Amino acid sequence: MDCDLTESVIKKIIREVGQECATQGQTVSETLVAFMVKAVVLDPRNDFSVDQILTKKDVQNLIQLCVTRLLDTTNPSLSTIKMQVYFDMNYANRAELLEEQLRVLEGRLAPVLRGITGSRPHVQEEMENVYCKIISYVLLSSGLGSPTDTAVVREVTAALQSVFPQTEMITFISLSKKNKEQQLKNLAMLVTGIRLYNKECGKGGSNIDDLPGILSEAIPSATRVVDEDLNTCHTLAHQYTALLESMQEDQHRYTQLSSFKLKEALFNVRQYETFLCILLSDAITGAQEVEKMNVQFAATVEQLKNTVQNKASVDTKEVFPLFVALSNLWTSFQNEMLLLSFLTNMINNLQQFLEIHSQLFPEEVLMSLLEGVTVKSDEERIRETMGTRVNVSDFKNQEWLFPETADNFDQLLIQYHGFCAHAIGVKGLTLPGNPAIGILKHKERYYVFSSKEAAYIFAQDPDKFIQLNGEKAKEHAELIQLLELRHQFEYLAPYAQARNTDKCLMKPTIKCDNSTQTDTHILPPTIVTSYEWNEWELRRKAIKLANLRRKLTHATQTDLSHMRRQNSTQVYLPKDVSTQTKRDNSSNVPRPQIFLEGLQGGSSPTTHMVKVDLTRAVDET
């Protein structure tokens, strides 16, 4: 199918699906519609082919299928896809979030910065205006207080005057733009450090929040919320897994539970659990950073107190670096507040995608379905298989990895997000894999299993089960992101996972005992005598060689010079050349002789003048 034609058709389908959903009172984003369109096309039950040209009837059928799935709010699959789209569009890791925050802050400060660096004051009043702008820049860049608060402005002004009095404005104005910007950043950090130190000493710090204390309370609160949601997810996942296993073992149970969308509900819970683990990991990282910064901040304040000790004057080389360190630590506290706010917002917004479980499976209904069913947790399943492992000798052409043979065993990128590679396609279950059984390496990818039997069955024909898992993902499009099948469905891989494709290149480090011995200076040193490091020397040699190409070399040998050494001479052949640049010549013309008579007048009142030309002709000269 032509790429341009395909793109135009897909855009038309997305637009019409969005309009149809809006007509029926359901607002959907283009990203969600695009994902749903591709998911419907991939589903083999819909008889679409990625390579075929869609007819008008196919397009209408595709639109209707997409609209039906997007309006089916009782399907956990739709809730999972919405959750995946939301997380992919909104989540950012620590580095990306802080980089974006820095860019936004610089954009807000840019007008004030341009007003300072671009000004050329000449009179005292203009100098004072620029100084006031510097105060505003220092206050806004620190984020400690409002520019409309008089007490805060007075405190910032006093701190700035202690390190940058107005008498230094003349020197500041003479600096280049780049140096001005650098000095303004340094002043902002110094003033911030001074205000923080005064706050710790109880002499200032107006409108400065206690960020370390706030973070110490807020981060544990956020982690508790995530832990509670994770416990809920684990409980639901274990219960849904137990029900699905009972359906496969008992035909009566299958008939009873087939109307419930248990598989879709299980995939939804597993995806929610995955996202919560990512957010929990970020929260734990933030807690560790805050703990380290608290220690560093207290140590820096104590060092400053010991350095100052009520002295009238202190060497700037001693205290200025400490003030800058305080400012940087406080900026880190502010960044952690931003990250915590972002994580809290993500956690709260993700909770809406779990509400469908209470609608489909009220507690009373779920408890009645679980009667007589044994519910096992993931930890219990792993403990049951801890004593079993694959016998490597049973597989001649397969490579298995174990903790004692792979140095980075815990860092290997396991396929299918660590779920059993056999249970996904065969049973449609997301059972946790146990790496202790053994990790199968097949075509540079790594697979784990929930039992030894599953490992043996999968290892007999891995490609068959890999294809089976891909077919299962086509039927349930939410599995593409949940199982991290970006290598099979690259055009559906979410942006958040595409940024981490470099992790796929991780290789296992095999541990083994080895030793080696080499001789010292086994080869003689090689010194290239013709090497020249000087570029001008190389040019001189090149010119010399170029000149020699245009010279003639002559050699002669006579009978008398036989058996004697050869002589050669090189000369520049003379040539006779003459030029003429000048020629003498002359010319002569007759001298004009013209006489006028009657100019003085006569007796008559009228003057009569007579002109006589006696000049000789040219040819007579």
Side-chain angles (χ1 to χ4, degrees):
M1 193 172 181
D2 186 73
C3 294
D4 296 334
L5 181 60
T6 302
E7 185 176 357
S8 62
V9 171
I10 290 177
K11 287 183 178 180
K12 178 183 177 182
I13 293 173
I14 292 173
R15 184 171 59 253
E16 292 187 9
V17 171
Q19 293 174 354
E20 183 66 24
C21 291
T23 303
Q24 301 191 31
Q26 187 75 17
T27 303
V28 291
S29 64
E30 289 188 1
T31 307
L32 177 61
V33 175
F35 191 95
M36 185 61 69
V37 169
K38 294 179 180 179
V40 170
V41 172
L42 279 177
D43 194 340
R45 295 171 296 185
N46 297 326
D47 295 330
F48 287 107
S49 176
V50 179
D51 300 325
Q52 76 177 19
I53 299 177
L54 297 177
T55 63
K56 186 174 182 180
K57 182 179 179 181
D58 293 333
V59 172
Q60 293 299 324
N61 187 24
L62 177 59
I63 293 174
Q64 187 59 40
L65 287 172
C66 292
V67 172
T68 302
R69 292 191 61 175
L70 287 170
L71 295 179
D72 186 8
T73 56
T74 62
N75 192 345
S77 177
L78 176 62
S79 179
T80 306
I81 293 176
K82 287 183 177 180
M83 175 171 34
Q84 292 171 345
V85 171
Y86 169 79
F87 194 86
D88 183 59
M89 297 297 294
N90 292 275
Y91 176 75
N93 57 35
R94 291 173 60 88
E96 294 172 345
L97 196 61
L98 294 180
E99 182 180 354
E100 177 66 16
Q101 174 65 13
L102 179 61
R103 187 188 64 80
V104 172
L105 180 60
E106 290 177 350
R108 293 176 179 175
L109 294 175
V112 182
L113 190 61
R114 286 195 299 267
I116 298 172
T117 57
S119 60
R120 294 290 185 271
H122 300 286
V123 297
Q124 183 62 27
E125 184 178 356
E126 294 177 349
M127 293 276 191
E128 293 177 355
N129 291 335
V130 175
Y131 195 81
C132 291
K133 292 181 180 180
I134 294 176
I135 295 174
S136 299
Y137 174 84
V138 170
L139 179 55
L140 292 174
S141 63
S142 66
L144 302 179
S146 172
T148 59
D149 192 328
T150 307
V152 173
V153 175
R154 188 183 301 112
E155 183 179 336
V156 173
T157 304
L160 181 62
Q161 288 177 348
S162 65
V163 295
F164 183 72
Q166 293 191 24
T167 54
E168 296 186 10
M169 282 294 298
I170 299 177
T171 305
F172 176 80
I173 293 170
S174 63
L175 298 176
S176 63
K177 181 180 179 181
K178 184 177 181 181
N179 291 335
K180 286 181 181 178
E181 292 177 354
Q182 184 61 41
Q183 185 168 353
L184 286 173
K185 292 180 180 178
N186 293 336
L187 290 175
M189 289 189 290
L190 287 174
V191 172
T192 302
I194 292 172
R195 293 185 63 197
L196 292 171
Y197 174 72
N198 292 337
K199 177 180 179 295
E200 295 298 319
C201 295
K203 300 178 181 179
S206 178
N207 285 349
I208 298 179
D209 297 327
D210 183 16
L211 296 187
I214 296 174
L215 288 169
S216 299
E217 296 179 359
I219 293 180
S221 175
T223 54
R224 281 195 300 270
V225 173
V226 177
D227 287 335
E228 292 174 358
D229 291 345
L230 274 176
N231 291 333
T232 303
C233 283
H234 293 156
T235 302
L236 291 175
H238 302 158
Q239 292 172 346
Y240 294 156
T241 303
L243 289 174
L244 287 170
E245 287 179 330
S246 67
M247 288 175 59
Q248 297 174 358
E249 297 172 357
D250 187 355
Q251 185 64 30
H252 175 70
R253 294 284 295 176
Y254 180 85
T255 306
Q256 179 186 6
L257 298 174
S258 58
S259 60
F260 295 95
K261 299 175 181 179
L262 286 172
K263 285 186 180 180
E264 291 81 355
L266 176 61
F267 299 152
N268 179 275
V269 171
R270 289 297 190 185
Q271 185 64 80
Y272 187 74
E273 175 189 1
T274 301
F275 290 153
L276 285 183
C277 288
I278 295 174
L279 298 178
L280 180 60
S281 176
D282 290 345
I284 293 174
T285 302
Q288 295 172 348
E289 292 294 326
V290 170
E291 185 177 356
K292 290 190 295 185
M293 289 188 297
N294 282 332
V295 175
Q296 295 174 1
F297 189 82
T300 306
V301 171
E302 187 63 26
Q303 187 177 357
L304 261 175
K305 290 181 179 179
N306 295 333
T307 303
V308 176
Q309 291 181 349
N310 297 325
K311 295 179 182 178
S313 62
V314 184
D315 188 1
T316 57
K317 294 182 180 179
E318 296 181 9
V319 295
F320 277 15
L322 298 177
F323 287 140
V324 172
L326 274 184
S327 176
N328 291 333
L329 287 171
W330 198 260
T331 302
S332 300
F333 281 124
Q334 291 174 327
N335 291 338
E336 292 301 328
M337 285 293 296
L338 172 69
L339 292 167
L340 179 61
S341 175
F342 170 76
L343 292 177
T344 304
N345 186 45
M346 288 289 296
I347 294 169
N348 294 334
N349 289 333
L350 282 176
Q351 290 177 349
Q352 61 180 313
F353 302 109
L354 204 65
E355 296 175 353
I356 191 170
H357 296 277
S358 59
Q359 301 173 7
L360 295 178
F361 304 99
E363 187 175 357
E364 299 80 9
V365 176
L366 190 58
M367 290 298 103
S368 63
L369 294 175
L370 289 171
E371 291 181 1
V373 178
T374 303
V375 179
K376 296 181 182 179
S377 65
D378 292 346
E379 294 76 12
E380 291 174 346
R381 294 176 184 273
I382 293 176
R383 282 197 299 268
E384 289 177 355
T385 57
M386 285 302 293
T388 59
R389 66 184 312 174
V390 172
N391 188 3
V392 180
S393 60
D394 295 338
F395 303 93
K396 297 181 179 180
N397 300 324
Q398 301 287 357
E399 182 180 356
W400 293 87
L401 301 177
F402 299 95
E404 62 273 12
T405 60
D407 188 23
N408 54 346
F409 182 82
D410 295 333
Q411 300 177 8
L412 296 180
L413 185 63
I414 307 299
Q415 296 299 304
Y416 307 128
H417 200 69
F419 294 117
C420 177
H422 175 262
I424 295 170
V426 176
K427 301 178 181 180
L429 300 177
T430 52
L431 299 178
N434 186 2
I437 297 175
I439 298 180
L440 174 64
K441 180 181 179 182
H442 178 70
K443 295 182 179 180
E444 300 302 323
R445 301 187 186 278
Y446 308 95
Y447 303 89
V448 293
F449 308 94
S450 59
S451 65
K452 181 179 178 180
E453 294 75 15
Y456 272 72
I457 296 174
F458 185 91
Q460 291 177 1
D461 191 358
D463 292 330
K464 169 188 173 182
F465 291 98
I466 292 173
Q467 183 180 1
L468 192 61
N469 294 339
E471 294 298 325
K472 183 66 67 174
K474 290 181 180 180
E475 297 178 5
H476 304 276
E478 62 270 26
L479 289 178
I480 296 174
Q481 181 169 348
L482 174 60
L483 302 181
E484 299 177 350
L485 298 178
R486 52 184 174 272
H487 57 281
Q488 295 186 31
F489 306 93
E490 293 181 356
Y491 44 88
L492 281 175
Y495 173 70
Q497 292 186 2
R499 291 175 293 183
N500 299 326
T501 52
D502 56 337
K503 295 182 180 178
C504 299
L505 304 178
M506 181 177 292
K507 304 292 183 182
T509 304
I510 305 301
K511 293 190 294 186
C512 61
D513 295 332
N514 198 3
S515 63
T516 181
Q517 181 178 353
T518 58
D519 295 334
T520 305
H521 304 303
I522 189 172
L523 295 176
T526 302
I527 301 177
V528 182
T529 57
S530 61
Y531 172 76
E532 287 288 347
W533 65 269
N534 193 337
E535 179 183 354
W536 292 101
E537 180 63 22
L538 294 174
R539 291 185 179 183
R540 188 186 68 79
K541 291 183 177 181
I543 293 173
K544 183 178 179 181
L545 292 174
N547 287 336
L548 289 177
R549 293 179 60 190
R550 294 194 294 268
K551 304 300 184 292
L552 297 178
T553 302
H554 297 275
T556 60
Q557 181 176 345
T558 62
D559 293 337
L560 297 177
S561 66
H562 183 59
M563 296 301 291
R564 297 183 182 180
R565 66 182 181 87
Q566 296 182 356
N567 293 332
S568 60
T569 305
Q570 179 176 334
V571 298
Y572 291 95
L573 297 178
K575 61 180 180 178
D576 296 332
V577 179
S578 62
T579 59
Q580 180 176 350
T581 60
K582 183 179 180 182
R583 185 176 67 177
D584 295 334
N585 202 351
S586 63
S587 63
N588 191 13
V589 298
R591 182 179 178 182
Q593 294 181 355
I594 300 174
F595 299 93
L596 301 175
E597 180 186 5
L599 293 177
Q600 294 181 354
S603 58
S604 63
T606 304
T607 301
H608 299 278
M609 183 187 70
V610 179
K611 179 181 178 180
V612 181
D613 188 1
L614 301 179
T615 303
R616 299 177 62 183
V618 176
D619 54 356
E620 296 178 359
T621 58

